[in-house]
Amino acid sequence: MKKVSSEEVFARIEQEIVKNPGGAVAFDGDGTLWEGDVAEDFFFTLLQHDDFRAPAVEAMRKDAEEFGIDAHGDGATLARRLFDAYQLEKYPELRCCEMMTWCCAGWRRDEIHAFARQVVRERNLASRLHHDVVAIMNWARQKGIEVLLVSASPRSIVDAAAELLDFPCAQVEAATACFEGDIMAAYMDGPVPYDPGKMVAIEARIGKRVLYAGFGDNIYDVAMLKAARLAVTYKPKARLLKRLDEIPGLVELVPSKA
């Protein structure tokens, strides 16, 4: 896999702009724009606060019963048990993503937004940003290229991360729970942008326009990376490296010396 500098990425994207004006670039969040997983930041902070309300508790209990997991206990107990079952591969990863998205069911919208911003501060996301990748995102925005942030993490925390980056939340595609009036409900508003779902979300935005570049770090980004004219990884995970043959031309962005 070829290693490239930011300048080489800029040049490749500019070449694509000449060939196909009006395209877009897409960035994964967790592991790509920042270190770590903001869904887990949000979920484990909520566990510490132990504020799971009735709609979430009822839905978690139903999930536990469906997958043969002990369904007794309070909200924090059920949430922790479901996450542990996911790690043991007894609770599907996609369902766990959904549970972590609607785990604040029963909360008001403003409460969730305030809590997400608190999590971003307490988990010090600012210190975990991958500045080389963020710089490319900012360069693309300054060039007037449509930029999308596409993540399987909950929209509430991804929006808070986007605010930290001064990135428009309207250009975020993330796992989204439904709201009934102003209250979060314990079910999803559409699929999780996860694995092939990332490209579904991107295509819903850009239609038949060209995806100039895709930036990812894990196997869940494979579909996006394959669809992009320029596929870029940064600090790639081992599971992505095992599937390099599926992504011809994948390049790795090397950190700047600064």
Side-chain angles (χ1 to χ4, degrees):
M1 180 168 52
K2 182 182 178 182
K3 297 184 184 296
V4 297
S5 66
S6 298
E7 288 72 21
E8 290 174 273
V9 171
F10 298 154
R12 289 280 300 275
I13 294 175
E14 287 184 322
Q15 289 170 10
E16 292 297 334
I17 293 172
V18 172
K19 297 177 195 173
N20 298 284
V25 296
F27 293 81
D28 167 56
D30 299 323
T32 301
L33 280 168
W34 51 75
E35 195 73 24
D37 187 314
V38 293
E40 293 188 7
D41 291 343
F42 187 88
F43 180 72
F44 286 115
T45 304
L46 183 60
L47 276 176
Q48 291 171 2
H49 283 249
D50 191 10
D51 191 0
F52 295 90
R53 301 181 188 176
V57 175
E58 180 182 354
M60 287 190 292
R61 204 178 306 282
K62 287 180 179 177
D63 269 15
E65 290 169 349
E66 180 180 347
F67 290 96
I69 300 163
D70 184 357
H72 296 89
D74 61 11
T77 300
L78 285 166
R80 188 175 292 106
R81 198 176 284 143
L82 287 170
F83 188 85
D84 290 345
Y86 146 66
Q87 292 189 307
L88 294 171
E89 299 184 349
K90 295 179 180 179
Y91 183 48
E93 187 164 21
L94 185 55
R95 291 290 288 271
C96 190
C97 286
E98 293 179 355
M99 181 272 291
M100 293 167 77
T101 298
W102 50 248
C103 61
C104 280
W107 288 43
R108 295 191 316 274
R109 200 184 298 267
D110 63 331
E111 289 182 292
I112 297 168
H113 289 170
F115 183 69
R117 294 185 185 106
Q118 175 186 338
V119 171
V120 164
R121 291 192 303 271
E122 289 183 355
R123 298 284 175 153
N124 203 10
L125 185 61
S127 71
R128 294 156 45 197
L129 296 176
H130 290 157
H131 293 286
D132 292 288
V133 184
V134 172
I136 293 173
M137 183 188 75
N138 289 335
W139 172 86
R141 292 170 62 196
Q142 290 165 5
K143 284 282 184 179
I145 303 168
E146 182 175 1
V147 178
L148 301 176
L149 196 174
V150 188
S151 174
S153 288
R155 172 171 290 279
S156 50
I157 189 67
V158 178
D159 279 352
E163 288 178 3
L164 180 68
L165 293 165
D166 195 27
F167 186 86
C169 293
Q171 291 172 246
V172 170
E173 291 288 343
T176 305
C178 282
F179 280 79
E180 296 176 351
D182 200 40
I183 304 299
M184 179 178 277
Y187 55 93
M188 300 295 291
D189 184 7
V192 176
Y194 167 93
D195 210 358
K198 286 198 171 182
M199 269 315 298
V200 172
I202 291 168
E203 288 172 350
R205 287 282 191 135
I206 72 173
K208 297 185 180 298
R209 288 183 290 135
V210 170
L211 183 62
Y212 295 140
F215 296 77
D217 73 305
N218 211 334
I219 56 170
Y220 313 113
D221 304 314
V222 168
M224 176 180 69
L225 294 170
K226 287 171 67 174
R229 296 296 176 89
L230 174 63
V232 185
T233 187
Y234 184 80
K235 296 186 177 181
K237 302 291 190 298
R239 289 194 292 177
L240 178 63
L241 294 175
K242 289 179 180 178
R243 294 177 62 177
L244 289 181
D245 59 335
E246 297 180 41
I247 317 167
L250 179 68
V251 298
E252 180 179 357
L253 177 67
V254 294
S256 63
K257 294 179 180 179

